């Protein structure tokens, strides 16, 4: 079986440099053909490109400013993206809105998101969205930007089935499902039952959100089969079908 981890951070400091190659090797050994690296900010971008350049056969990079990294200098951060736009980019991400810890830069987050949605459209790239406690504002921005013909995915999807259905009216949208779907008290499992497999992507968001029974440990892309198995149980299908369909979904969206 072949998998694609559509959202990971193998350059994160949680992975010491001397262990990064082994982490990627374990993922490949588990059948994960591609590990898509989500961008955060200028502070981490060179580390991301370093690991992508070392593993070009299995890693691909996104480009974007994470909402939690948006501050007063957000325009300078957006300008800093320019020097990377000519590289092999598979998506603009991870971008979005996050009001969970603070709404101090709420206005700036919304402005940065709109600018990056326009960037994605101009580059004919999908978007990889981070959304937390800001559903109303996000949906309004997507409605406003419907004319851009956006396509993309909501990573670490935690929204309602109603939000998923509304998104389908506003563009070509998929959802990234990761370790949370395995958590005992997660409502996501019931939502996943109602989402067509044709709209599901697999992800880890590693080093975060390790699936049960590894919860609390440093997550790795090698854990993707655990997530796939849980989705297979929820959808009453084989893990082979989950692997095949989600991999096809990822190839189509990210043009891999």
């Amino acid at each position: 079986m072949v998998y694609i981890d559509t959202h990971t951070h193998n350059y994160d400091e949680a992975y010491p440099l001397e262990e990064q190659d082994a982490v990627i090797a374990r993922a490949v050994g588990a059948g994960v053909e591609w590990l898509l690296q989500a961008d955060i900010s200028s502070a981490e971008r060179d580390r991301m490109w370093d690991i992508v350049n070392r593993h070009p056969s299995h890693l691909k990079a996104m480009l974007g400013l994470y909402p939690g990294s948006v501050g007063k200098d957000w325009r300078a951060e957006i300008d800093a993206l320019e020097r990377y736009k000519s590289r092999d980019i598979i998506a603009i991400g991870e971008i979005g809105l996050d009001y969970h810890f603070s709404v101090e830069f709420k206005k700036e987050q919304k402005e940065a998101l709109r600018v990056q949605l326009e960037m994605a459209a101009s580059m004919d790239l999908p978007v990889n969205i981070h959304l937390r406690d800001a559903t109303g504002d996000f949906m309004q921005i997507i409605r406003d930007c419907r004319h851009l013909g956006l396509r993309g995915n909501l990573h670490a999807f935690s929204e309602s089935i109603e939000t998923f259905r509304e998104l389908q009216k506003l563009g070509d949208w998929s959802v990234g499902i990761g370790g949370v779907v395995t958590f005992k008290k997660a409502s996501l499992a019931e939502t996943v039952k109602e989402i067509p497999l044709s709209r599901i992507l697999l992800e880890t968001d590693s080093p975060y959100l390790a699936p049960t029974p590894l919860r609390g440990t440093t997550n790795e892309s090698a854990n993707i089969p655990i997530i796939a198995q849980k989705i297979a149980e929820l959808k009453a299908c084989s893990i082979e079908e989950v692997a095949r369909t989600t991999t096809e979904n990822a190839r189509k969206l990210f043009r891999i």
Side-chain angles (χ1 to χ4, degrees):
M1 287 179 284
V2 174
Y3 302 97
I4 295 177
D5 185 346
T6 61
H7 192 111
T8 184
H9 304 265
N10 293 112
Y11 57 89
D12 191 277
E13 291 180 344
Y15 303 114
L17 184 61
E18 63 272 16
E19 295 180 16
Q20 288 179 354
D21 292 351
V23 168
I24 293 167
R26 285 195 290 271
V28 174
V32 184
E33 182 181 42
W34 289 105
L35 294 74
L36 311 188
Q37 307 297 309
D39 192 15
I40 296 295
S41 72
S42 60
E44 300 183 23
R45 192 164 296 126
D46 285 341
R47 286 208 312 271
M48 178 184 72
W49 277 106
D50 177 67
I51 194 170
V52 169
N53 289 337
R54 293 200 329 264
H55 296 275
S57 297
H58 296 291
L59 273 61
K60 289 186 178 293
M62 303 182 202
L63 182 68
L65 179 62
Y66 169 69
S69 299
V70 172
K72 292 181 180 179
D73 64 343
W74 73 271
R75 290 189 182 276
E77 282 282 350
I78 295 294
D79 290 343
L81 301 176
E82 288 295 325
R83 61 183 287 235
Y84 298 90
K85 288 171 67 174
S86 61
R87 300 193 185 189
D88 183 18
I89 307 296
I90 58 162
I92 300 300
E94 67 185 283
I95 64 176
L97 301 175
D98 190 332
Y99 301 163
H100 183 72
F101 293 109
S102 173
V103 294
E104 179 182 4
F105 297 109
K106 182 176 179 179
K107 178 175 179 289
E108 290 83 355
Q109 282 192 35
K110 290 191 287 185
E111 291 175 347
L113 175 57
R114 288 179 185 273
V115 168
Q116 292 181 99
L117 292 175
E118 292 171 356
M119 180 187 301
S122 69
M123 297 176 69
D124 191 24
L125 289 174
V127 291
N128 181 274
I129 299 292
H130 171 106
L131 178 61
R132 193 174 187 188
D133 295 345
T135 305
D137 282 353
F138 173 74
M139 293 300 290
Q140 186 56 58
I141 289 172
I142 295 303
R143 291 186 193 98
D144 293 346
C145 294
R146 188 175 182 179
H147 65 284
L148 295 176
L150 297 170
R151 67 185 194 278
N153 73 299
L154 268 65
H155 112 85
F157 186 74
S158 62
E159 303 297 317
S160 67
I161 189 62
E162 288 77 19
T163 297
F164 169 80
R165 289 169 178 159
E166 182 63 23
L167 271 172
Q168 302 313 299
K169 303 173 185 176
L170 301 173
D172 183 3
W173 292 97
S174 297
V175 298
I177 304 298
V180 173
V181 76
T182 70
F183 295 177
K184 187 174 181 180
K185 296 183 179 180
S187 60
L188 176 62
E190 292 302 312
T191 305
V192 165
K193 290 180 181 180
E194 299 192 57
I195 298 175
L197 192 56
S198 61
R199 288 292 169 179
I200 291 177
L201 306 173
L202 301 182
E203 65 165 71
T204 58
D205 198 17
S206 56
Y208 315 106
L209 300 175
T212 303
L214 303 172
R215 193 172 180 182
T217 66
T218 301
N219 201 6
E220 295 187 13
S221 295
N223 296 329
I224 279 283
I226 299 174
I227 299 164
Q229 181 60 54
K230 180 62 177 182
I231 293 173
E233 294 170 7
L234 294 170
K235 307 297 280 185
C237 66
S238 68
I239 188 173
E240 289 83 4
E241 183 178 353
V242 172
R244 181 176 60 255
T245 304
T246 58
T247 296
E248 289 174 356
N249 296 344
R251 290 190 192 283
K252 179 180 178 182
L253 178 62
F254 297 107
R255 296 176 178 170
I256 297 173

